[in-house]
Amino acid sequence: MCFVAIVNPNGGVEYKRVMKEPFSNDHLLERILSTENVHQAWKQVRANKGAPGIDGVPVDEFPDAFRKLWPKIRTDLFEGAYVPSPVLRVEIPKPDGSKRPLGIPTVLDRVIQQAIAQVMGLIFDPLFSESSCGFRPGRSAHDGVRQVKQFIGQGFKVAVDTDLSKFFDKVNHDVLMVRVARRVKDKRVLRLIGKYLRAGVMVNNRLQATPTGVPQGGPLSPLLANILLDDLDKELERRGHQFTRYADDCVPRRQTLLQ
């Protein structure tokens, strides 16, 4: 029996059964594409809403547009013939006046990525550091703040606020995939993830290659980021440092300690 962790909007977590019989790590794709897991992925994508990708299909029109096409798409996924669509590049303003690039996958690719993330999260998340609070079931920025307050109570008075500049844009695909492959043995899943990393981005109707980076905006990207940064967490722990990490931002912030 297998369960999928679903993050609720309030930061809580619930577990839903997604299959009746277990699959080995060598057969993760069957687990990912099981009817129950894909259905749960669709429910999560629908709840998250979001803008259409490059195909222009909005979330509310997705079931009618792809219901008849899904059996062929599922077959292509099993046979390694499926090709993800490029993501649509949009930019959103940041507090410092700069802009953060986001990549919006098509709704179809969001469902597939969500299905992958639900299963892979069960493999990786239990092994992540307790100091990692971002994009994890049952964890939020509030948990990071509570950790910081505990450090203050323990007498820590100096903080180093670190942020990995343009982290998502600079991820080395080979380095990332080596870390994913440590625990994912199904090569079909590894190839599919690689396709998503190299799918490209559409900017002003022009396709740009993505030799590096993980597009912010896809359901799979937060998990991939945590997988890559877990080595950093473990090294900080090995050195005896107290820290809190949320995605590519290492908390505590200096202003938090001064409160």
Side-chain angles (χ1 to χ4, degrees), residues 60 109-110 116 136 147 209 233 252 258:
D60 57 357
D109 283 324
R110 297 210 291 269
I116 297 171
R136 298 183 61 191
Q147 285 187 355
D233 296 341
L258 294 178

Side-chain angles (χ1 to χ4, degrees), residues 20-252:
K20 296 180 180 179
E21 297 179 358
F23 285 84
S24 72
N25 200 303
D26 293 325
H27 296 86
L28 283 186
L29 190 58
E30 282 79 5
R31 186 166 162 178
I32 289 167
L33 297 179
S34 67
T35 300
E36 295 86 353
N37 190 54
V38 172
H39 179 66
Q40 187 59 50
W42 156 241
K43 289 174 63 177
Q44 190 67 30
V45 170
R46 181 179 60 189
N48 292 340
K49 300 180 180 180
I54 64 169
D55 61 359
V57 177
V59 173
D60 57 357
E61 295 180 10
F62 174 77
D64 291 337
F66 284 91
R67 185 174 289 110
K68 293 182 179 180
L69 299 176
W70 175 246
K72 175 62 165 58
I73 294 169
R74 189 172 185 270
T75 298
D76 287 345
L77 285 163
F78 275 122
E79 295 179 351
Y82 180 76
V83 179
S85 298
V87 299
L88 179 64
R89 170 65 55 83
V90 297
E91 293 183 334
I92 59 174
K94 296 174 63 175
D96 61 5
S98 62
K99 293 184 177 181
R100 181 190 306 277
L102 292 181
I104 303 177
T106 63
V107 178
L108 172 61
D109 283 324
R110 297 210 291 269
V111 171
I112 297 171
Q113 286 191 34
Q114 178 67 26
I116 297 171
Q118 287 173 177
V119 172
M120 280 183 43
L122 296 175
I123 298 172
F124 285 95
D125 193 86
L127 302 175
F128 286 155
S129 168
E130 288 297 315
S131 297
S132 171
C133 297
F135 310 115
R136 298 183 61 191
R139 293 173 178 264
S140 68
H142 297 291
D143 296 294
V145 172
R146 282 190 285 269
Q147 285 187 355
V148 171
K149 289 182 177 179
Q150 290 177 359
F151 298 156
I152 295 174
Q154 294 169 9
F156 289 89
K157 299 183 182 299
V158 177
V160 177
D161 179 16
T162 63
D163 189 343
L164 301 177
S165 177
K166 298 181 179 179
F167 166 75
F168 283 88
D169 297 332
K170 296 179 179 179
V171 169
N172 182 292
H173 292 168
D174 292 337
V175 173
L176 170 61
M177 292 306 299
V178 165
R179 281 151 179 77
V180 174
R182 288 173 180 172
R183 301 198 173 275
V184 173
K185 304 306 179 185
D186 192 328
K187 293 183 179 180
R188 298 168 301 172
V189 176
L190 296 174
R191 286 192 291 266
L192 181 57
I193 294 172
K195 286 183 178 182
Y196 274 114
L197 294 175
R198 299 186 299 272
V201 58
M202 195 68 74
V203 182
N204 297 324
N205 294 320
R206 290 189 176 185
L207 178 62
Q208 295 183 3
T210 50
T212 60
V214 176
Q216 296 187 68
L220 186 57
S221 297
L223 176 60
L224 294 178
N226 277 335
I227 291 173
L228 182 60
L229 291 173
D230 188 56
D231 279 2
L232 171 63
D233 296 341
K234 297 299 195 296
E235 179 61 22
L236 291 174
E237 290 172 349
R238 188 186 69 80
R239 297 187 184 191
H241 296 305
Q242 300 285 352
F243 68 97
T244 298
R245 181 178 63 78
Y246 192 95
D248 58 336
D249 192 27
C250 208
V251 181

